[in-house]
Amino acid sequence: MTLSSRELFRQAQECIPGGVNSPVRACLSVGAEPLFVDSAKGGRIFSVDGNAYADFVQSWGPMLLGHAHPRVFAALHAAVDRGTSFGAPCPDEVRLARLLVKALPAMDMVRMVNSGTEAAMSALRLARACTGRSAFLKFEGCYHGHADPFLAAAGSGVASLSLPGTPGVPPTTVADTLLCPYNDLKKAEKLFEERGEGMAAVIVEPLAGNMGLVLPLPGFLEGLRELCSRNGVLLIFDEVITGFRVAYGGAQTRFGINPDLTVLGKIIGGGLPIGAYGGKAEYMRRIAPSGDVYQAGTLSGNPLAMAAGAATLETLKDCDYHALEQRVEKFCLRLEKLFADKNIPVRINRCASMFSVFFTPGPVRNFVEVGAADAGRYARFFRHMRDRGVFLAPSAFETAMTSFAHSDGDFDAFEAAARSFGG
Ligand SMILES: *Cc1c(COP(=O)(O)O)cnc(C)c1O
């Protein structure tokens, strides 16, 4: 007999901190307990309790083809039969690397790692090595994984006084982390004036997806590109979410901006653990063993992740991104009308296959405006939707993800459940 989610969570809390292996999954901020998943297929997940859900989390982004895609699974099954890890190069590493450098305009070479966290951390190390500088600029509300230097919160609004965002990170580790509000080019310019000479990199999510979905204002990314070029600072696009999601060639293709380095993860592993970072050859050649910047990994280029990732990208190449974008756009317009009819103020940010419902009259252009949304109402919304078979991200500050496998029925389930939401 299978255990219920409730019983599994009880057992998990005894042996795993908080009962989960990544904090948001615990559903604390939405006042719920996690569901334990038995299986997933297409746009749906199935809990151990025997319930089905239209899934708008999609493993936080990787599953753009939907769960258990036949072509990805065939590649994965074939790879398992050949072995799970060799500690020596395998053909699919070259296959995936070639797909990546072909797809991304700003990527000549790429190095595989095991998570987005590791990729962002390594890209920062490389930028620091290439420039011989230490400081870097990040934007409030952007997430670049949990490596120490990225875990800084603003201290008293003074960027040069960054404070650690968690115990365990020494103040010295984030002393070189400069913070700026997202979409605030003026503030970025000011920081460049003050600290530009000591700055190694600017790292940014070209489309922010970790404070809900926040789009770059016209000129923001262009402005950063120019500031970086003028000051000898490397521009790093963190495309862990946006890579292959907002366009096959990522946000850099969609917005026509070439970063110096790109950080990838999520989709490129087709649901297996992965990360990658790449960019211009002159920088990438600095990485060991062709260069002097050390970075390594026992399971890097893992044959299963490479096979799933390559099959995913080869399938995505022929997918109709435009059609999915139009579907999501139409759906969001229907949702806006639905909430307007109820007199519930919402602002729905959307791009391509992603959207975020913020319970605020909006607009939502940065982390402060994100914070103005009604998180209590989102928590009620989350529970209301899940009780009716729709699985949303268990936090007001995450992005809803759709996939090519979502059926009209999945969207209809969302709309029908939202219709009965009392506020
Ligand atoms: C998910 C994410 C990461 C971290 O990736 P992990 O694989 O969870 O370590 C980094 N940057 C962005 C933009 C992400 O969304």
Side-chain angles (χ1 to χ4, degrees):
M1 203 198 101
T2 50
L3 298 173
S4 66
S5 287
R6 173 150 295 178
E7 174 59 17
L8 282 165
F9 191 47
R10 194 193 62 72
Q11 291 185 10
Q13 283 173 296
E14 287 170 3
C15 50
I16 303 171
V20 290
N21 285 307
S22 197
V24 185
R25 292 180 203 167
C27 299
L28 286 174
S29 76
V30 289
E33 287 196 352
L35 294 177
F36 281 68
V37 177
D38 175 64
S39 65
K41 176 85 188 149
R44 322 203 87 199
I45 54 169
F46 304 90
S47 75
V48 295
D49 313 290
N51 298 320
Y53 298 85
D55 178 20
F56 288 84
V57 180
Q58 295 292 308
S59 187
W60 303 87
M63 315 312 295
L64 182 55
L65 288 173
H67 297 287
H69 188 278
R71 188 163 161 191
V72 178
F73 267 39
L76 201 43
H77 284 135
V80 168
D81 286 341
R82 291 191 299 268
T84 54
S85 183
F86 310 130
C90 70
D92 278 346
E93 289 174 80
V94 187
R95 186 164 147 231
L96 182 57
R98 285 169 66 100
L99 283 161
L100 293 175
V101 299
K102 186 142 185 256
L104 297 163
M107 195 178 273
D108 304 330
M109 302 181 89
V110 61
R111 169 61 65 84
M112 307 293 175
V113 292
N114 300 293
S115 67
T117 293
E118 212 185 314
M121 175 187 90
S122 307
L124 177 62
R125 179 184 305 146
L126 179 61
R128 284 171 159 171
C130 289
T131 56
R133 303 167 176 179
S134 303
F136 74 98
L137 179 61
K138 83 174 275 285
F139 294 90
E140 288 157 18
C142 282
Y143 179 65
H144 305 294
H146 65 89
D148 284 0
F150 299 112
L151 292 179
S156 68
V158 182
S160 55
L161 291 180
S162 288
L163 297 174
T166 170
V169 175
T172 48
T173 305
V174 292
D176 290 321
T177 307
L178 310 177
L179 286 161
C180 180
Y182 195 75
N183 274 326
D184 191 342
L185 194 56
K186 284 247 150 34
K187 181 75 185 285
E189 277 166 4
K190 195 155 167 288
L191 285 163
F192 264 88
E193 274 166 32
E194 290 164 9
R195 302 282 299 268
E197 275 178 20
M199 214 188 283
V202 170
I203 186 165
V204 65
E205 288 181 75
L207 211 105
N210 284 287
M211 48 174 153
L213 182 64
V214 176
L215 278 68
L217 292 172
F220 175 59
L221 298 173
E222 291 82 352
L224 293 180
R225 175 65 277 179
E226 205 199 305
L227 281 172
C228 285
S229 298
R230 231 192 298 139
N231 291 276
V233 174
L234 268 56
L235 179 62
I236 307 173
F237 270 11
D238 184 342
E239 296 227 42
V240 171
I241 290 179
T242 56
F244 298 89
R245 185 169 275 282
V246 299
Y248 183 76
Q252 53 197 262
T253 301
R254 190 176 175 110
F255 298 123
I257 294 166
N258 279 359
D260 299 295
L261 297 174
T262 301
V263 178
L264 295 167
K266 298 195 169 111
I267 286 177
I268 66 160
L272 274 83
I274 202 167
Y277 65 106
K280 294 183 181 145
E282 61 174 301
Y283 303 128
M284 293 305 289
R285 285 193 209 284
R286 282 292 298 273
I287 298 163
S290 58
D292 55 351
V293 180
Y294 190 70
Q295 184 270 307
T298 303
L299 291 171
S300 294
N302 174 262
L304 303 189
M306 297 299 108
T312 296
L313 299 196
E314 280 162 2
T315 309
L316 283 174
K317 225 175 351 191
D318 300 321
C319 285
D320 190 344
Y321 279 75
H322 184 65
L324 180 56
E325 177 152 357
Q326 287 196 317
R327 254 178 120 193
V328 170
E329 177 179 341
K330 282 196 188 122
F331 173 69
C332 288
L333 294 176
R334 288 206 305 274
L335 272 188
E336 274 166 4
K337 169 141 191 350
L338 187 156
F339 284 114
D341 289 346
K342 293 172 175 292
N343 282 323
I344 296 176
V346 294
R347 177 62 63 130
I348 302 181
N349 287 354
R350 62 179 150 78
C351 181
S353 54
M354 301 185 277
F355 66 95
S356 274
V357 178
F358 294 103
F359 289 110
T360 172
V364 182
R365 297 162 298 194
N366 56 46
F367 198 43
V368 171
E369 290 176 351
V370 165
D374 187 341
R377 179 170 269 164
Y378 184 89
R380 292 193 296 280
F381 186 59
F382 170 90
R383 297 195 300 267
H384 174 90
M385 298 296 279
R386 205 174 73 171
D387 287 348
R388 285 155 187 80
V390 180
F391 185 52
L392 305 179
S395 159
F397 309 118
E398 301 285 355
T399 302
M401 302 282 180
T402 65
S403 78
F404 286 109
H406 274 70
S407 66
D408 288 341
D410 296 325
F411 285 106
D412 291 347
F414 191 122
E415 199 178 335
R419 199 170 293 284
S420 61
F421 178 54

